[in-house]
Amino acid sequence: MGTGEEAPDQLLANPANWRIHPKAQQDALAGALDQVGWVQQVLVNRRSGFVVDGHARVALALHRGEPTVPVLYVDLEPAEEAPLTVRRRHHRPHRSMLASSERS
């Protein structure tokens, strides 16, 4: 493990990330970052190079043109990273729910 700063355009989105953050949630995140700053690091797996947690924060940093984001590095084998993805998928809303909420 370790910490550091990375340019957001150098961080790799995890292809297993299914989350689509609604605009209201993105706006709330932007407001929180404006008000209190970066209090949570983006979690990056050194072995895969993928973001494990923090995709929305990275997207916001890219949108804002921020030069760096705080990063917490972990060292996980694919088999160790997979349960995180499975756990997230378990709570994944059904595609039809996503489609109807995106139409709203």
Side-chain angles (χ1 to χ4, degrees):
M1 287 208 329
T3 61
E5 296 277 327
E6 291 286 342
D9 63 352
Q10 297 302 304
L11 296 173
L12 298 174
N14 192 319
N17 179 45
W18 58 266
R19 290 185 179 171
I20 299 171
H21 297 282
K23 179 151 177 27
Q25 189 177 18
Q26 294 172 28
D27 292 345
L29 175 59
L33 286 175
D34 286 342
Q35 192 170 39
V36 297
W38 286 85
V39 295
Q40 186 174 5
Q41 299 152 311
V42 175
L43 188 63
V44 175
N45 185 358
R46 281 197 190 272
R47 289 189 192 199
S48 67
F50 292 131
V51 171
V52 176
D53 183 54
H55 292 84
R57 285 172 272 147
V58 171
L60 182 60
L62 287 167
H63 178 74
R64 293 177 166 197
E66 294 187 22
T68 62
V69 298
V71 173
L72 173 63
Y73 298 103
V74 294
D75 186 22
L76 301 172
E77 293 184 24
E80 295 172 313
E81 189 174 329
L84 298 173
T85 304
V86 169
R87 185 180 59 109
R88 288 180 179 175
R89 285 178 187 257
H90 178 70
H91 296 289
R92 181 179 181 175
H94 190 272
R95 285 193 187 279
S96 63
M97 292 173 63
L98 287 174
S100 65
S101 67
E102 288 172 355
R103 283 186 236 126
S104 306

